[in-house]
Amino acid sequence: MSITANEEFRPKIVAFCCNWCSYAGADLAGSSRLTYPADVKIIRVPCSCRVNPMFILRAFEKGADGVIMCGCHPGDCHYSTGNYYARRRMALLFSMLDYIGVEHGRTRVEWVSAAEGVKFSQTMNEFVAKITSLGKNVRLEDLRCRK
Amino acid sequence: MFKIAKRNLPELLRAIAAEQELYLPVNISGQTNFAVWTEGTEADLDTLKTVKSPKDMFFPQSETLYTVKKENKKLSIQPEALREQRFVAFGMKACDIQGIKVLDKVFLAEPIDTFYAARREHGTIVALACHEPEETCFCKVFGVDCAEPDADVVMWAVGEMLYWKPVTEKGKALTESVSGVLEAADEADEKAVSDEQDNIRAIVEKLPYTNLSLEGWDGNATDAKFNSPVWEKLFKPCLACGTCTFVCPTCQCYDIKDYDTGHGVQRYRCWDSCMYSDFTMMAHGNNRTSQMQRFRQRFMHKLVYFPANNDGMYSCVGCGRCVDKCPSSLNIVKVIKAFEKEAVDQ
Amino acid sequence: MQRIGVFVCHCGSNIAATVDVKKVVEMARLEPGVVHAEDYQYMCSEVGQAKIAAAIHEKHLTGVVVCSCSPRMHEATFRKAAEKAGLNPYMVEIANIREHCSWIHKNIEEATEKAVILARAAIAKVNLNAPLKAGESRVTKRALVIGGGIAGIQTALDIADAGYEVDIVEKTPSIGGRMSQLDKTFPTLDCSACILTPKMVEASAHEKINIYTYSEVEKVTGFVGDFTVDIRKKARSVDMTKCTGCGVCQEKCPSKKAPSEFNRGLNNRSAIYTPFAQAIPNVPVIDREHCIKFKTGKCGLCEKVCQAGAIDYTQKDEIITEKYGAIVVATGFDTIKLDKYDEYAYSQSKDVITSLELERIMNAAGPTKGHLERLSDGKPPKNMVFIQCVGSRCSDNRGKSYCSKICCMYTAKHAMLIRDKYPDVNVTVFYIDVRTPGKNFDEFYRRAVEDYGVNYIKGQVGKVAPQPNGQLLVQGVDLIDNKQILMEADMVVLATAIEPDPSVRKIATMLTASIDTNNFLTEAHAKLRPVESPTAGVFLSGVCQGPKDIPETVAQAGAAAVKAIGLLAKDKLMTNPCTAKSDELLCNGCSQCANVCPYGAISYETKLINDHGIREERRVAVVNNALCQGCGACTVTCPSGAMDLQGFSNRQILAEVDAICR
Amino acid sequence: MQEIINRAKELLADGTVARVLGWRIGDLPYNPEPSYFETAEDLEKNFVYDGFCGANLSKYMIEGSKLEGKTLVFLKPCDTYSFNQLIKENRVDREKAYIIGVGCKGKLDVEKIKAQGIKGILSISGAEIEGDAETLTVNTLYGDKTVAYKDAMLERCHVCKGKEHMIFDEEIGESKDTKDADRFAEVEKIEAMKPEEKFAYFQKELSKCIRCNACRNVCPACSCRKCVFDSTKFDSAQKANADSFEEKMFHIIRAFHVAGRCTDCGECSRVCPQGIPLHLFNRKFIKDIDEFYGDYQAGADAESKGPLTSFTFGDVEPGVTGGRR
C-alpha cells in the first residue's frame, strides 16, 4: 500500500511508556507543546520490563497498526535492570515478527529520558509517518475486530 | 452407474462447483484435508485419510452463534444466519460417513441443533470407496463396509476410471446436474466395480486390527469398565492434548465462548476436548480432576455411554486417525486390547 | 461491576481550549460501569476535590477516573481526596488529557476524540481495579556495617551519633582497613594514621558502636527493617576480656615466619599478632596455620608468658545472631593480582612493587622502617620509574575496563614525597592521562611536576626487564615526542588497579544486592540514589560501590549513614501496594522470576496446595511486599502468568489496550 | 536392547529403582508408547528401544518425581538437555531419577515412510537399535518396500546436537552420528524471503493448525501447570480456531515463552498432526539468541541463567537486528 492510497488512513498506535523516564518525557513534550499526531495513545507501565509480548500482539489483534515501547535509557532504569530485560525480550519478539512477515517498522523500541521531550515528540512523529506509509495492519489483526 | 476418466476429474469438479460449493480433499503443504474447491485446486484422492475428519463441513471447528452489537449503552443481538447454501462433500470415506451418522444422533435429536441440521440438509455426500485400506483401519469392527459407503453418491476408483453411482434422491439430483461430464457405465464397468469391492474386502480381512473384539463393550458395561484398574496403567503416556479428539470423526463436544470484538461480542462455539483440563469447567471447578478420569471418559463415552443412549451404536467408526496421530502412540485400539488382555488374565 | 465516576478537568483553558470537555463527559457516560460524569474548571482545587468526594458519597462510587493533567502531577492529590471520602485510593486512575493530549494537539476534534479514548482506557482499567492496601512492617533500630575501614567507621560513627546502635563486622583482627596501611594522604600530605587513629578510637569508644573484628557475616535473612544476620566470630584464641594488650606474647612467639598481611607480605610477623601497633582492638590473634602449638601441640609459650591468662587454645568460632533494620556494605577494595602482567616483571624482581607496597616501604612502621630502599639488596634507589594504569582502563580482559581513580593522585604524592626526602632520586612517571579532578588536585600534581621536578612521560611501558646487574631496564614510549624510551631503573612502582574486595561477592549474594560485571555493588540509581542498593535497606559506603578516594569515601559514608538513619528513624515502613503477587495455583516454581528480580523479593516455599481438589506439595514463589518495588520484570518472565503486578495487572493493561484499539 | 532390559531388571531387583520409565512395544511396527514398567517379566516381554522410540521421556519425570522412590528413566542424548532444563526450573527432582543414557542412531518418523507412498505397513525391519541398517525394509499389504534409514529420520536427527548425554548415571549402547544438515539452514531460507513471502509461508503453515495443543503438551519446556492459554488471565483463546490471528498469537507466544529454555528437542514438530514445522519458530529464537547474545544451548547444564533472565550492558537494540533499520 502506498502513502497516496492512504490519505484518509489514520493509524492506531499504542505506546507503552515506563512511568519514570519516557512517560515523563511524554509529559515534557506536552508541557513544551511539542506536537505529534493524536494517533498515538500512551499506556503507562511502571517499567518497560512490564511490557509483555502478549500486550503487543493483543494490540495488533484488536486493530492497532503500530506499537512502540519506550523506556529509560539502558543504565538509567529506575529499577536498575528492567530495561535490559525488556531490551532482550523486544529484540527477540521484533525479530520474530519480522521473520513471520510482519512489515518492518510496525514495532519499535525507543529509549526516552524524562528530559527528552523533544526526542519523544520526534520519535512519535517519525513512527506515525512510518506506520502511515505502511498502511493498515492486516497481517496481525483479528478480522472479527473489524467494524 | 456412471463413469469418468480420472484425467477428466477437473471437469467434473468444475461442473459440481458451478452449481454449489464443493469441498474435497486437498493437499496443503504436505497435509491432506477437506478444503473448498476453486479453479485450479487439485483434488487428492490418493490419500486414504484426511488428517482431520470431514466432520467440520457439517460441524465446523469454530462457528459463530450470534453477535451482540454494542452501541453506546444499548445492546442488540444479531443471530447468525443458518448455512442454507447447498454444498457437496466430495470424496468422503465410509468411516467418515458413519461418523456423520453418529453426529446425527447427537445433533438431530431433540433439541435439534439448527446449525448442524441446516448443513446436513444442504450437503450432498459423494463418497469414495477405499481403494487401499491401511493398517490403522478397523472400520469393519464397527460394521462399516468401506467398499460400499452409505452416501448420496458412491464412487470407486479403478485404474484410470472413476465410477459414480447415485444412491439417494440428493445423489440423483447432483448426478443430473453434472450429467454432461459423466458417461454411462456398462456391464464391464459394473464388473470392474464389483471386482474392486471384492479386492477391498479381501484386503480388509488382512488388516491387523480387523478382528478386534468388542466383546464386553456395550451400554451395560458401565460399572465393570469404569472401575477397572486398567485405566490407571493405560492413561500414563497421555499428554492431555486434543489431537485424538480433533481428528476424530465422531467427537462432538464443543465449548461456547465469547469474543470481545471491541464493538460487541461474538458468541461462538468451538470444538472442545474431554482431554483438556478445563473441559466442562464449572464455577466450583472440574468434575474430572485427573487425567486418568479424562482419559477414561473419552473411551467410556465412545464404547459404553454412547451405545447405552443410542441403541447400541458405538461412537467410534474405526477410521484409525487417532492411531495415526496420537503423539504418544496411544489409541482406542490399545484401550480395547488392554481390556481384552485383562479379561484373559483374569 | 464497578460504579465509576468520571471527572473531567478544564484546567482553566489548558485542557478546555483544545478538548471539548463536555463531549468527553458525555462520551464517558456511555462506558460500562460509569454512573457519574462531570466536568469542572480545576479538579485539583479544593472545590474540585469536594466534587469528587460528594459524588463518591452520593453515587456510592467504587471507582474514580480523573481526566486531567499527568498522573505524575496530581495522582497523589486525587488518591488522597478519594481516600478522605472513604474510597480506597487505588481505585482512582488518571487519564492524562493535558500533557498527552490538549497541549500537543491543535485540532479540537482530534484532541477531543483522543481525550475520549484516553478516558475510555482509564475507565476500562478502573473496571478491573481492586482496592489495595499498603502493608506495614516494623523497623529494628539497629544497623549493621560490613567492613571496618574508613568507610565503615565513618558510617558507623554517623549512625551512632544519631542515636542508633551500630555493629561493625570486620573480617581482619583490627578495624582500620586500607587507610591504615597508607603513609600519607593526598593532596594535603597528612599522615594517614594521624587522622585515622582518632576515628578508630572514637568508634571503639562509642557507646552505641559494637565492633566485631576477626568476624564475618555468615547468613542474612529477612528484609528492609527486619534483617536477621548470623555473624561468625572466628576463634581468636585470645580472651578479649582478659588481654591487656601488653604485647609480650608477640615478642616471645617463636614462630615468626608468617607473612605480614598488613605489610603486604613484604616482611613477616609472629603467629600470635596484632596487625599493626594502633590496632583496635589491641588484642592479638593466633594465626593457627602458623602457630606451633596448633601445628604440633608443643610450644604454648604465649600461654606461659601471658600474665593475664588470656590465651585460650580451645576457643571456637562463635555464631552471633542479631537483628538489624539497615545494612551498610563497606567492604572496600584490594589491588588486583598481577599474574597477567608478566611484562612488568613483578613476579621476577623484588624491586618491582605496587604502589600500596611502596606505602608500606615509606611508612616508619613498615618493613624498612620508612627508609626508601630496594627490597632486593637494601640499597637506596637512584632512579625510580612509576607506571600508571597497570590493569586500569584496560581494553582487553587482562585488567579492568574502569579507571581506578586514585592512582594519578597517589603517584604524584609518592613522587613528590620521594623527591622531597631524597632529592637525588630521579623519578619518572609513565602515564596515559593524568586525571586530577578534585579540589586542589591539579595544583598538587603541578607542584610535583613544577616544584619537585618529577619527570612525567605520556606513554606506556611495554616491558620491564630485570638485568643481570640488578637494574631494571624499562622500555617505554614517549607519545608526545613519539620516540622509544629505554631507561634503567632501580625500582619500578606499579599503579595497580583496584578492585572490590573479593569478599563482596558472597556478601552481595547473601544480601541479594546486585553487583556489576566488575563486582562493584550496583546503586539503586546511578544518579539519584547513588548510596542505596536496589535491595531495600541495603546501603553502600566506599569503594565497594566504585573507585573513590578518602574524602569521597568519607562523604559517601556519611550519605549512606543518613539514608540508614532515615530508615531507622521510622517505626514502621509503609510498603508500596503495587507489588507483584504470585497466584500459587498457577505457579510452576521454576525460579525464573527470582532470576530477574533486582530486589531479591521473591523466594520459594514448598506448600501444600489444594488445586481444585488435587492436594499436593508444590514449590511456589512468594513475593515479599516489603522488598518488591513493583517493576514487573517477574510478570513477563513468568510463562504461566502466575506472577502479576497489582495496580498494573495483565488484565488491566490488556483492558487499556482493548479500549484504545477498539 | 537386551543389555538395557537386563540392566533395568538388575536395578529393579536390587531396589535402586522402584520402576522403569521406558517404551512399551506397540501393536504396530512403529508405535511404541512411553510407559512405566514395574516387573522384570513386563520388561522382558514388552520393553522396546528401537528407531521408533522418538518420544522424549524427560517431561514424564515431572510426574515421575512425585512418585515414591526412584524411577529409572531412559534418556537419549537430546532428551538429556530437556532433563537438565527441567532440573534448572525445579520441575523434576534429580534425586528421584536414575538416568540411563541410551545410545541413539537417529529416530524414525513413520510419517516420512508413509509420505513415500508406502501404505498398509505390516512390519518394518532395520529399525532395531542393534543394527546399523542403512535401509529399512517395510513389509506391507501392498508388497515389500525399502526406504533409506536416513530418509525416514525425524528432521531433528538431521541437525543432531551430538550424541553426548548431558546428564546420566550410566550410559548404555552406542550412537551414530546422524547430523547431515545445517541446523539453521531452514531458518535462513525464510529469513532471506521478502516479507510477503514470509507471511504467505507462515500463513499457509499455520492455517493447518487445529489447536490440538499437542506441540505444547509434549514440549518439555512447556511445563506450566496451567498454560497461559488455558487460564482466564489473558483472555486468550486456547482452542477456538476462529481467526488466523489466534494461531499466530499462540505459536509466537509459545515460542517466546520457551525462548532461551527450548533445547530444540524437536518434539513439537514430531507430534504435530498437521505436520507444521513448529521447530522453525523455536529455532529462530535460538538462532537470534546465539547471534545477539552469544552461543547458548539450553539444557547443556542445569545451572546457568538463561538468556532471557540475564543481560549485558551492551546488548543489541531491538529492531537494529531482524533487519528493521
Side-chain angles (χ1 to χ4, degrees):
Chain A
M1 277 190 264
S2 68
I3 306 170
T4 46
N6 281 290
E7 272 165 358
E8 292 302 306
F9 172 62
R10 293 299 302 261
K12 277 185 192 165
I13 290 170
V14 178
F16 291 99
C17 290
C18 81
N19 181 50
W20 305 95
C21 288
S22 33
Y23 194 90
D27 280 357
L28 180 61
S31 49
S32 315
R33 311 297 198 274
L34 299 164
T35 62
Y36 56 86
D39 308 324
V40 177
K41 314 287 188 304
I42 295 170
I43 292 178
R44 182 165 71 130
V45 287
C47 176
S48 52
C49 69
R50 179 67 188 90
V51 179
N52 193 312
M54 276 184 123
F55 301 165
I56 291 173
L57 293 185
R58 175 70 159 256
F60 285 123
E61 170 189 359
K62 299 284 177 172
D65 302 301
V67 179
I68 181 164
M69 185 189 89
C70 301
C72 306
H73 284 271
D76 291 348
C77 175
H78 178 78
Y79 305 99
S80 71
T81 52
N83 52 2
Y84 290 120
Y85 294 116
R87 183 164 64 176
R88 284 201 167 189
R89 291 167 186 160
M90 294 306 139
L92 290 179
L93 178 71
F94 293 1
S95 179
M96 177 58 80
L97 292 179
D98 179 63
Y99 179 71
I100 66 156
V102 176
E103 306 90 334
H104 300 321
R106 274 213 197 273
T107 46
R108 179 164 168 178
V109 163
E110 203 62 59
W111 311 118
V112 180
S113 81
E116 292 176 322
V118 174
K119 184 178 179 186
F120 188 87
S121 134
Q122 271 173 2
T123 301
M124 292 307 153
N125 278 309
E126 272 173 38
F127 192 58
V128 172
K130 174 76 190 174
I131 300 302
T132 309
S133 76
L134 287 172
K136 176 116 198 72
N137 152 42
V138 290
R139 295 187 179 169
L140 276 179
E141 69 170 340
D142 192 311
L143 293 171
R144 291 174 291 183
C145 296
R146 280 198 183 168
K147 274 195 179 142
Chain B
M1 194 162 70
F2 299 88
K3 64 178 178 180
I4 181 169
K6 276 184 183 169
R7 69 187 139 77
N8 294 331
L9 182 62
E11 274 176 52
L12 171 63
L13 299 177
R14 209 171 288 127
I16 298 171
E19 294 277 317
Q20 44 189 313
E21 200 158 35
L22 167 61
Y23 292 88
L24 76 176
V26 178
N27 187 307
I28 298 171
S29 31
Q31 307 294 319
T32 298
N33 281 294
F34 277 80
V36 179
W37 185 90
T38 53
E39 188 59 50
T41 302
E42 211 175 305
D44 175 10
L45 297 185
D46 295 334
T47 301
L48 184 73
K49 289 179 236 184
T50 50
V51 179
K52 280 209 272 187
S53 84
K55 78 178 172 199
D56 56 346
M57 284 182 284
F58 301 93
F59 171 43
Q61 177 153 15
S62 181
E63 72 182 318
T64 305
L65 303 177
Y66 59 83
T67 305
V68 180
K69 285 261 180 211
K70 179 178 167 288
E71 210 142 333
N72 299 330
K73 280 197 167 173
K74 266 193 217 145
L75 300 178
S76 59
I77 296 178
Q78 299 170 344
E80 191 72 14
L82 299 179
R83 196 182 186 296
E84 289 180 319
Q85 300 82 37
R86 290 187 303 134
F87 70 95
V88 171
F90 184 93
M92 280 175 67
K93 302 295 186 309
C95 52
D96 296 337
I97 295 160
Q98 176 73 6
I100 299 299
K101 288 186 190 158
V102 171
L103 297 185
D104 286 349
K105 290 271 184 194
V106 178
F107 293 127
L108 298 184
E110 285 297 337
I112 291 170
D113 185 302
T114 51
F115 291 92
Y116 179 83
R119 286 193 163 86
R120 273 298 267 137
E121 191 189 329
H122 293 92
T124 303
I125 296 174
V126 178
L128 177 64
C130 297
H131 176 60
E132 287 182 329
E134 292 178 9
E135 74 276 12
T136 52
C137 298
F138 53 108
C139 57
K140 181 171 171 261
V141 174
F142 297 97
V144 175
D145 179 6
C146 65
E148 181 80 53
D150 180 7
D152 296 315
V153 174
V154 183
M155 300 187 296
W156 290 267
V158 183
E160 292 310 303
M161 296 307 283
L162 202 55
Y163 296 98
W164 170 286
K165 184 175 96 178
V167 180
T168 63
E169 287 310 314
K170 262 191 201 170
K172 284 173 188 153
L174 176 66
T175 307
E176 192 66 31
S177 75
V178 297
S179 56
V181 296
L182 294 174
E183 276 176 68
D186 56 24
E187 237 172 72
D189 295 326
E190 299 275 357
K191 171 84 170 59
V193 166
S194 95
D195 286 352
E196 164 76 353
Q197 287 183 318
D198 291 346
N199 271 340
I200 293 172
R201 288 172 186 139
I203 294 164
V204 165
E205 286 310 313
K206 286 192 270 181
L207 295 174
Y209 292 158
T210 270
N211 296 315
L212 199 63
S213 163
L214 289 174
E215 203 186 312
W217 291 100
D218 57 52
N220 302 318
T222 304
D223 288 346
K225 298 294 189 217
F226 189 89
N227 296 319
S228 166
V230 173
W231 298 113
E232 199 56 60
K233 284 186 189 156
L234 266 177
F235 93 96
K236 288 262 165 61
C238 176
L239 295 171
C241 74
T243 305
C244 52
T245 320
F246 288 179
V247 299
C248 179
T250 71
C251 275
Q252 71 279 137
C253 294
Y254 58 82
D255 194 3
I256 297 182
K257 289 172 170 254
D258 286 347
Y259 181 78
D260 178 1
T261 61
H263 38 85
V265 162
Q266 258 186 28
R267 171 150 295 188
Y268 65 95
R269 69 171 170 194
C270 60
W271 294 353
D272 202 347
S273 170
C274 49
M275 293 290 157
Y276 289 164
S277 59
D278 70 342
F279 182 73
T280 65
M281 174 78 101
M282 289 171 276
H284 84 284
N286 225 312
N287 53 5
R288 283 182 284 275
T289 52
S290 73
Q291 194 55 32
M292 186 283 279
Q293 292 168 1
R294 294 190 274 269
F295 180 86
R296 178 176 60 194
Q297 167 64 21
R298 181 162 199 274
F299 301 104
M300 287 296 287
H301 186 210
K302 294 219 176 292
L303 302 174
V304 179
Y305 309 150
F306 200 87
N309 296 321
N310 294 283
D311 313 319
M313 182 190 219
Y314 294 105
S315 69
C316 173
V317 298
C319 74
R321 284 187 176 86
C322 54
V323 182
D324 279 324
K325 293 299 181 183
C326 174
S328 293
S329 300
L330 212 57
N331 52 62
I332 196 162
V333 177
K334 283 189 179 175
V335 171
I336 294 168
K337 284 183 174 177
F339 275 90
E340 207 172 296
K341 188 174 167 295
E342 188 207 21
V344 172
D345 288 352
Q346 280 170 2
Chain C
M1 194 75 182
Q2 307 277 18
R3 295 177 58 81
I4 298 169
V6 180
F7 302 87
V8 187
C9 181
H10 296 222
C11 197
S13 64
N14 280 309
I15 291 170
T18 22
V19 170
D20 178 351
V21 288
K22 298 282 180 204
K23 172 94 178 167
V24 177
V25 168
E26 184 192 312
M27 294 304 284
R29 284 210 175 98
L30 302 175
E31 289 300 311
V34 174
V35 295
H36 175 82
E38 64 177 307
D39 59 289
Y40 183 63
Q41 278 286 318
Y42 290 103
M43 271 301 163
C44 61
S45 68
E46 286 286 321
V47 182
Q49 292 187 42
K51 280 178 179 291
I52 296 174
I56 289 173
H57 290 305
E58 285 162 22
K59 302 278 174 80
H60 308 292
L61 299 184
T62 60
V64 164
V65 168
V66 187
C67 304
S68 60
C69 56
S70 172
R72 297 171 55 85
M73 190 78 82
H74 275 311
E75 186 175 67
T77 312
F78 294 122
R79 285 191 165 165
K80 250 183 220 150
E83 192 173 20
K84 259 198 215 158
L87 192 65
N88 182 287
Y90 294 92
M91 297 305 294
V92 177
E93 293 290 338
I94 310 295
N96 184 345
I97 60 165
R98 193 179 75 175
E99 282 85 345
H100 291 186
C101 188
S102 69
W103 276 352
I104 39 173
H105 309 309
K106 303 231 158 47
N107 179 313
I108 293 181
E109 205 178 305
E110 271 182 37
T112 305
E113 191 195 346
K114 178 168 173 179
V116 167
I117 293 172
L118 293 178
R120 197 157 83 187
I123 294 163
K125 186 178 182 191
V126 172
N127 262 312
L128 297 166
N129 276 23
L132 300 177
K133 197 170 176 297
E136 274 181 0
S137 64
R138 68 191 182 92
V139 178
T140 304
K141 296 190 177 284
R142 188 184 190 96
L144 171 68
V145 175
I146 305 173
I150 181 61
I153 292 170
Q154 186 63 48
T155 301
L157 282 172
D158 289 348
I159 296 172
D161 283 346
Y164 298 102
E165 300 281 342
V166 188
D167 291 350
I168 299 177
V169 171
E170 166 59 44
K171 69 176 179 201
T172 71
S174 169
I175 58 168
R178 292 279 164 244
M179 187 174 169
S180 65
Q181 290 176 292
L182 306 182
D183 183 41
K184 302 283 192 296
T185 58
F186 62 79
T188 52
L189 301 181
D190 285 299
C191 153
S192 185
C194 308
I195 54 175
L196 175 64
T197 314
K199 291 246 174 222
M200 291 166 60
V201 173
E202 193 188 343
S204 81
H206 204 296
E207 58 168 2
K208 296 276 185 193
I209 297 179
N210 178 32
I211 300 173
Y212 295 110
T213 50
Y214 209 47
S215 300
E216 286 179 40
V217 172
E218 182 96 350
K219 189 177 154 201
V220 180
T221 54
F223 48 89
V224 56
D226 190 21
F227 293 105
T228 303
V229 179
D230 286 358
I231 298 163
R232 175 178 292 271
K233 259 183 90 176
K234 290 178 280 186
R236 219 175 174 104
S237 316
V238 176
D239 187 336
M240 288 186 74
T241 59
K242 291 181 183 161
C243 176
T244 60
C246 70
V248 176
C249 53
Q250 299 182 54
E251 273 169 42
K252 299 289 181 196
C253 177
S255 168
K256 290 203 159 55
K257 292 273 170 59
S260 159
E261 293 85 357
F262 187 72
N263 283 327
R264 304 298 287 179
L266 299 180
N267 67 351
N268 292 334
R269 56 159 171 80
S270 46
I272 183 165
Y273 72 105
T274 45
F276 54 102
Q278 303 91 329
I280 282 178
N282 185 19
V283 175
V285 169
I286 294 180
D287 168 0
R288 293 185 174 184
E289 262 179 52
H290 290 92
C291 172
I292 297 165
K293 174 79 179 174
F294 277 99
K295 284 200 296 189
T296 66
K298 290 169 193 149
C299 190
L301 202 56
C302 48
E303 190 178 23
K304 284 178 202 129
V305 301
C306 181
Q307 302 210 329
I311 307 293
D312 177 4
Y313 299 122
T314 65
Q315 229 179 46
K316 286 202 170 66
D317 287 7
E318 196 185 331
I319 302 285
I320 295 161
T321 304
E322 190 68 72
K323 285 198 156 263
Y324 301 99
I327 297 177
V328 183
V329 187
T331 45
F333 71 97
D334 202 343
T335 52
I336 63 163
K337 293 215 163 45
L338 289 169
D339 45 4
K340 286 180 187 159
Y341 288 90
D342 277 347
E343 69 265 36
Y344 298 133
Y346 177 76
S347 60
Q348 299 155 45
S349 169
K350 280 185 149 184
D351 300 324
V352 180
I353 58 172
T354 67
S355 299
L356 191 52
E357 289 162 4
L358 181 63
E359 291 284 350
R360 295 314 306 148
I361 289 170
M362 306 274 283
N363 190 279
T368 61
K369 308 268 184 293
H371 299 297
L372 180 64
E373 59 189 44
R374 282 158 51 101
L375 294 173
S376 58
D377 51 16
K379 287 184 189 155
K382 281 271 178 292
N383 295 300
M384 288 188 71
V385 168
F386 287 79
I387 303 173
Q388 298 302 94
C389 295
V390 176
S392 298
R393 304 175 68 190
C394 198
S395 51
D396 58 35
N397 55 12
R398 293 196 302 167
K400 304 294 179 184
S401 55
Y402 52 84
C403 165
S404 294
K405 199 169 184 182
I406 52 177
C407 320
C408 288
M409 291 305 294
Y410 69 58
T411 297
K413 173 189 77 178
H414 289 150
M416 200 186 283
L417 287 170
I418 289 168
R419 292 286 297 161
D420 187 53
K421 218 168 159 189
Y422 311 97
D424 56 335
V425 175
N426 295 313
V427 177
T428 305
V429 179
F430 282 91
Y431 68 98
I432 306 178
D433 297 295
V434 176
R435 296 183 162 180
T436 56
K439 192 169 163 185
N440 294 326
F441 282 15
D442 205 57
E443 295 88 325
F444 184 79
Y445 154 65
R446 286 209 307 272
R447 268 168 63 205
V449 178
E450 290 160 12
D451 300 352
Y452 289 87
V454 179
N455 179 25
Y456 270 81
I457 296 174
K458 183 174 176 72
Q460 278 171 303
V461 170
K463 194 171 173 60
V464 175
Q467 303 296 303
N469 62 2
Q471 291 281 293
L472 298 160
L473 185 65
V474 177
Q475 301 172 15
V477 59
D478 181 334
L479 289 174
I480 290 173
D481 289 347
N482 197 19
K483 61 177 185 194
Q484 293 282 332
I485 290 182
L486 268 183
M487 60 166 68
E488 293 214 320
D490 303 297
M491 284 178 84
V492 169
V493 184
L494 307 177
T496 312
I498 60 172
E499 64 180 356
D501 191 90
S503 62
V504 77
R505 274 201 79 92
K506 208 176 117 199
I507 288 167
T509 309
M510 283 191 274
L511 293 171
T512 63
S514 55
I515 47 176
D516 66 20
T517 49
N518 292 314
N519 286 350
F520 286 114
L521 283 157
T522 312
E523 52 278 19
H525 192 281
K527 283 100 188 167
L528 303 176
R529 297 172 68 194
V531 301
E532 295 159 75
S533 160
T535 304
V538 175
F539 306 98
L540 313 176
S541 177
V543 183
C544 66
Q545 177 262 338
K548 46 183 73 68
D549 62 17
I550 295 167
E552 279 182 323
T553 295
V554 171
Q556 199 199 20
V562 168
K563 291 289 173 190
I565 293 163
L567 168 59
L568 297 179
K570 291 177 181 144
D571 294 324
K572 275 179 180 164
L573 293 175
M574 295 297 275
T575 56
N576 166 21
C578 294
T579 51
K581 194 176 176 185
S582 172
D583 180 342
E584 54 189 34
L585 289 184
L586 299 181
C587 177
N588 300 321
C590 72
S591 285
Q592 293 199 92
C593 52
N595 280 341
V596 299
C597 178
Y599 308 104
I602 302 169
S603 57
Y604 291 86
E605 279 176 19
T606 302
K607 274 188 170 175
L608 183 68
I609 304 288
N610 184 349
D611 186 353
H612 299 100
I614 299 171
R615 281 167 183 278
E616 58 183 10
E617 296 254 315
R618 288 182 185 174
R619 181 178 194 270
V620 291
V622 179
V623 178
N624 184 323
N625 287 323
L627 292 179
C628 176
Q629 308 285 310
C631 67
C634 53
T635 60
V636 182
T637 303
C638 179
S640 67
M643 197 59 95
D644 210 345
L645 187 62
Q646 300 177 97
F648 292 94
S649 70
N650 291 327
R651 295 194 61 216
Q652 284 174 308
I653 296 174
L654 288 171
E656 288 179 89
V657 170
D658 289 358
I660 287 172
C661 295
R662 87 186 186 217
Chain D
M1 190 171 85
Q2 195 55 43
E3 192 188 354
I4 296 175
I5 294 172
N6 291 345
R7 185 62 186 136
K9 287 199 296 199
E10 266 170 45
L11 290 164
L12 261 184
D14 70 15
T16 308
V17 298
R19 69 196 67 76
V20 177
L21 177 53
W23 299 269
R24 184 174 293 273
I25 196 160
D27 56 357
L28 292 173
Y30 52 76
N31 70 349
E33 82 222 32
S35 186
Y36 286 106
F37 298 82
E38 285 173 352
T39 63
E41 190 201 353
D42 194 16
L43 275 166
E44 194 61 58
K45 230 167 107 186
N46 298 313
F47 181 92
V48 67
Y49 179 59
D50 65 13
F52 289 102
C53 296
N56 178 349
L57 302 181
S58 57
K59 194 179 184 183
Y60 287 100
M61 280 307 294
I62 295 177
E63 287 306 312
S65 295
K66 297 177 188 167
L67 303 173
E68 198 60 38
K70 274 197 183 200
T71 301
L72 166 58
V73 59
F74 293 102
L75 298 180
K76 303 185 292 293
C78 51
D79 304 340
T80 58
Y81 290 84
S82 311
F83 195 83
N84 258 343
Q85 191 64 27
L86 286 163
I87 294 178
K88 190 191 291 186
E89 294 169 9
N90 304 294
R91 301 294 280 126
V92 297
D93 185 349
R94 176 66 183 93
E95 298 310 310
K96 286 290 192 73
Y98 188 94
I99 302 169
I100 292 187
V102 285
C104 176
K105 294 176 176 175
K107 292 298 157 210
L108 299 164
D109 183 357
V110 71
E111 298 283 339
K112 285 208 170 171
I113 298 174
K114 290 184 177 176
Q116 301 189 20
I118 298 176
K119 297 177 177 183
I121 299 171
L122 297 174
S123 71
I124 299 176
S125 67
E128 302 78 15
I129 190 71
E130 288 79 13
D132 269 325
E134 305 246 323
T135 314
L136 298 170
T137 309
V138 188
N139 170 243
T140 81
L141 285 166
Y142 309 104
D144 283 356
K145 319 265 162 137
T146 58
V147 185
Y149 194 99
K150 239 177 72 180
D151 296 341
M153 237 162 34
L154 287 160
E155 187 279 341
R156 68 183 186 213
C157 300
H158 292 283
V159 298
C160 179
K161 290 189 282 287
K163 303 296 187 197
E164 211 177 304
H165 295 96
M166 295 294 113
I167 185 169
F168 59 87
D169 291 301
E170 58 184 275
E171 286 174 303
I172 296 180
E174 284 167 22
S175 292
K176 194 163 86 181
D177 184 25
T178 57
K179 185 176 187 317
D180 58 4
D182 179 42
R183 188 181 180 190
F184 297 118
E186 287 174 284
V187 173
E188 279 161 9
K189 216 171 101 190
I190 295 166
E191 284 172 341
M193 294 180 186
K194 292 196 192 83
E196 39 299 357
E197 291 169 345
K198 292 175 180 176
F199 185 73
Y201 174 80
F202 280 107
Q203 185 82 344
K204 195 168 177 188
E205 286 297 338
L206 291 181
S207 69
K208 295 188 291 183
C209 176
I210 56 173
R211 298 303 298 276
C212 67
N213 292 312
C215 50
R216 176 190 79 182
N217 291 12
V218 80
C219 174
C222 271
S223 66
C224 287
R225 291 202 165 89
K226 194 167 190 69
C227 175
V228 68
F229 284 95
D230 288 358
S231 90
T232 49
K233 291 214 163 184
F234 284 86
D235 311 321
S236 38
Q238 143 228 25
K239 55 199 165 192
N241 215 352
D243 186 274
S244 67
F245 174 81
E246 287 173 347
E247 281 83 60
K248 291 184 199 111
M249 178 83 156
F250 176 77
H251 290 291
I252 292 172
I253 292 298
R254 199 184 87 74
F256 186 83
H257 280 179
V258 300
R261 304 165 55 230
C262 166
T263 65
D264 203 4
C265 77
E267 285 285 88
C268 47
S269 292
R270 179 181 72 86
V271 303
C272 178
Q274 289 276 36
I276 305 171
L278 294 162
H279 62 275
L280 291 179
F281 287 97
N282 305 313
R283 220 172 269 169
K284 168 64 177 167
F285 276 143
I286 292 170
K287 180 170 179 283
D288 281 349
I289 286 168
D290 285 357
E291 281 172 13
F292 298 173
Y293 313 121
D295 287 353
Y296 181 82
Q297 173 59 55
D301 63 76
E303 296 83 29
S304 63
K305 268 195 177 185
L308 277 168
T309 54
S310 55
F311 61 84
T312 65
F313 299 127
D315 282 344
V316 288
E317 290 296 328
V320 171
T321 51
R324 256 204 342 122
R325 279 183 196 167

